[in-house]
Amino acid sequence: MKWRQFSTGALIAGILPAILLLTAGTAGASPAPDPRNDPFYRQPTSFAGHTPGQILKSRPVEVGLAGVPLPFTAYQIQYVSTDTSGVRQAAVATLLKPLTASGSPKLVSYQPAIDSLSSRCDPSYQLRSGTSLEVPQIAVLLNQGWTVAVPDFLGPDHQWGVGHVEGHSTLDGIRAAESFAPAKLEGRKTPVALTGYSGGARGTEIAYELAPAYAPELNIVGAAAGGLGVDMEKISRNANGGLFSGVVFAGLFGLDRAYPSMKMDTILTDKGKELRRTLSGMCVFEYTAAYAFKRVQSYTVGGIDPLTVPAVRTALAENKPGAFGTPKAPGYFYNASADELVIPADVDKLAARYCAKGVVVQSVTQPGDHVSMLATGYPGAVGWIADRFADKPAPSTC
């Protein structure tokens, strides 16, 4: 498939403010301790007697934006979750309460685009350090009167692209929020919506698929995912050597953390191994800028393309949306017509597969590109969620 032309204006509009915000947040805020040096994030020595979603510890925190504290009551919760093999591990979510709420409580699980291999890029840390770029989207939900859970859904090992970790961490974060007394939710009765954009759409969509089997007790009323990448192999081929080359590198390294069968050590040159170490400390805007227009083959032995290696292709196929089950709740997908990273037609095909299984799904494509759609497509997603909370019939493009 031909690479779509990238909008330079979108790059300036999306990445430059991010760099300014990161600089302002670092300069203006009293720094929160890095998760690697924060005892709150340490894994328990044993999970004996613990079940997924069970709270291990909690603490009140202050959240902010660019050094300015925000007036929302917030907590961090460490809870039990499971990895791809079902092994228990501890994950962390941030729970934010609205200033005012009316009627019965509602919960939204908001998955930001973490897209990283480093704990310094997790929302629990960035919300405290004032560097989270998706605070405006989270604030919109809080201003609706909804409680918001924001999970570090890549898990403690930051296995980006590994679906079971992303989905389990999200669903177990909802379980933890519902049992957390200060949240004042109504346990399993609480209506829950899922939402996220781009990398956050993965955690959203895969949790949406896994919920009927993994967390059937949750009262999920719908999931709204924007800018969702469906065929990760195809996206990686398109992105390799383009503006989003860094995403290809980071995605492969994230999968490698859960799939030793990929044997990336045998594929990478010394230069490639150094790249992996460097990327392991970078957030998405940093490595996107640093590695734009680089090719994966420049860092592999003999210039081999990892996407031709059977074990790599298998890992990508096993972790694509659509491979985890059939959701029960309504779904809403929104995409940009000129998206330069993901492929809207593949989202429509995924929606059609759901439709064929009786799921009520609406898939819409709107003018814009991948960066701008985070903002321009979001009001429609929020309105769709509000209608689900109001028990209105879900629209369908089936």
Side-chain angles (χ1 to χ4, degrees):
M1 182 170 181
K2 221 172 180 181
W3 178 260
R4 287 177 289 276
Q5 185 177 4
F6 177 73
S7 165
T8 303
L11 174 62
I12 295 172
I15 294 183
L16 182 57
I19 295 171
L20 295 174
L21 177 55
L22 289 170
T23 304
T26 303
S30 62
D34 186 298
R36 293 168 295 184
N37 302 318
D38 187 339
F40 184 83
Y41 290 86
R42 289 177 188 161
Q43 293 288 302
T45 56
S46 172
F47 289 94
H50 292 90
T51 57
Q54 185 171 345
I55 295 173
L56 298 168
K57 64 177 85 167
S58 64
R59 64 182 178 184
V61 294
E62 183 180 85
V63 299
L65 179 64
V68 179
L70 298 176
F72 301 109
T73 301
Y75 302 88
Q76 283 181 347
I77 305 170
Q78 187 191 58
Y79 56 93
V80 180
S81 191
T82 55
D83 67 7
T84 302
S85 303
V87 176
R88 291 177 186 176
Q89 58 186 12
V92 172
T94 306
L95 188 71
L96 300 101
K97 295 179 62 176
L99 296 177
T100 59
S102 59
S104 60
K106 313 289 193 300
L107 176 66
V108 178
S109 184
Y110 183 91
Q111 288 65 245
I114 303 173
D115 297 354
S116 169
L117 309 175
S118 171
S119 57
R120 61 180 281 268
C121 312
D122 279 338
S124 66
Y125 174 66
Q126 293 197 337
L127 286 167
R128 294 183 67 207
S129 63
T131 57
S132 172
L133 303 178
E134 297 188 46
V135 165
Q137 283 76 17
I138 294 169
V140 167
L141 302 173
L142 291 164
N143 288 335
Q144 296 287 324
W146 305 329
T147 301
V148 180
V150 187
D152 296 352
F153 63 91
L154 300 187
D157 295 326
H158 296 86
Q159 296 178 348
W160 181 31
V162 180
H164 282 99
V165 171
E166 295 169 316
H168 292 175
S169 298
T170 298
L171 294 168
D172 289 326
I174 295 169
R175 285 168 161 162
E178 291 184 347
S179 67
F180 187 58
K184 297 182 179 179
L185 299 173
E186 295 182 332
R188 295 179 180 181
K189 290 172 51 181
T190 306
V192 180
L194 304 160
T195 192
Y197 186 80
S198 191
R202 275 191 59 88
T204 298
E205 202 281 334
I206 294 172
Y208 174 56
E209 288 188 23
L210 285 171
Y214 185 78
E217 79 280 6
L218 297 179
N219 181 20
I220 294 177
V221 300
L228 174 67
V230 176
D231 190 328
M232 302 311 295
E233 181 180 341
K234 187 189 298 184
I235 290 169
S236 296
R237 291 189 186 282
N238 286 346
N240 187 21
L243 178 76
F244 292 103
S245 287
V247 173
V248 181
F249 294 123
L252 288 172
F253 297 152
L255 277 174
D256 183 50
R257 291 181 173 186
Y259 284 82
S261 58
M262 288 171 55
K263 298 182 179 179
M264 289 297 292
D265 273 337
T266 66
I267 298 173
L268 296 172
T269 61
D270 289 343
K271 181 182 174 183
K273 293 173 184 177
E274 179 60 31
L275 168 67
R276 180 169 58 183
R277 286 190 290 271
T278 301
L279 273 179
S280 293
M282 302 177 80
C283 296
V284 58
F285 285 105
E286 296 167 328
Y287 68 66
T288 298
Y291 295 100
F293 308 110
K294 305 289 186 182
R295 294 190 65 79
V296 176
Q297 293 92 323
S298 301
Y299 298 86
T300 60
V301 176
I304 188 173
D305 180 356
L307 299 175
T308 65
V309 176
V312 174
R313 297 183 67 186
T314 296
L316 288 167
E318 288 181 358
N319 288 280
K320 64 189 296 186
F324 296 91
T326 302
K328 290 185 177 179
Y332 175 75
F333 298 122
Y334 58 103
N335 315 287
S337 58
D339 197 304
E340 56 285 300
L341 181 60
V342 306
I343 303 166
D346 285 345
V347 180
D348 290 338
K349 291 176 184 176
L350 176 64
R353 291 202 297 272
Y354 287 158
C355 289
K357 296 179 179 181
V359 184
V360 178
V361 182
Q362 183 181 21
S363 183
V364 299
T365 300
Q366 302 168 355
D369 51 42
H370 191 76
V371 175
S372 66
M373 189 54 54
L374 170 62
T376 59
Y378 191 58
V382 174
W384 185 89
I385 290 171
D387 286 345
R388 304 292 74 72
F389 282 149
D391 292 325
K392 294 182 180 180
S396 171
T397 50
C398 292

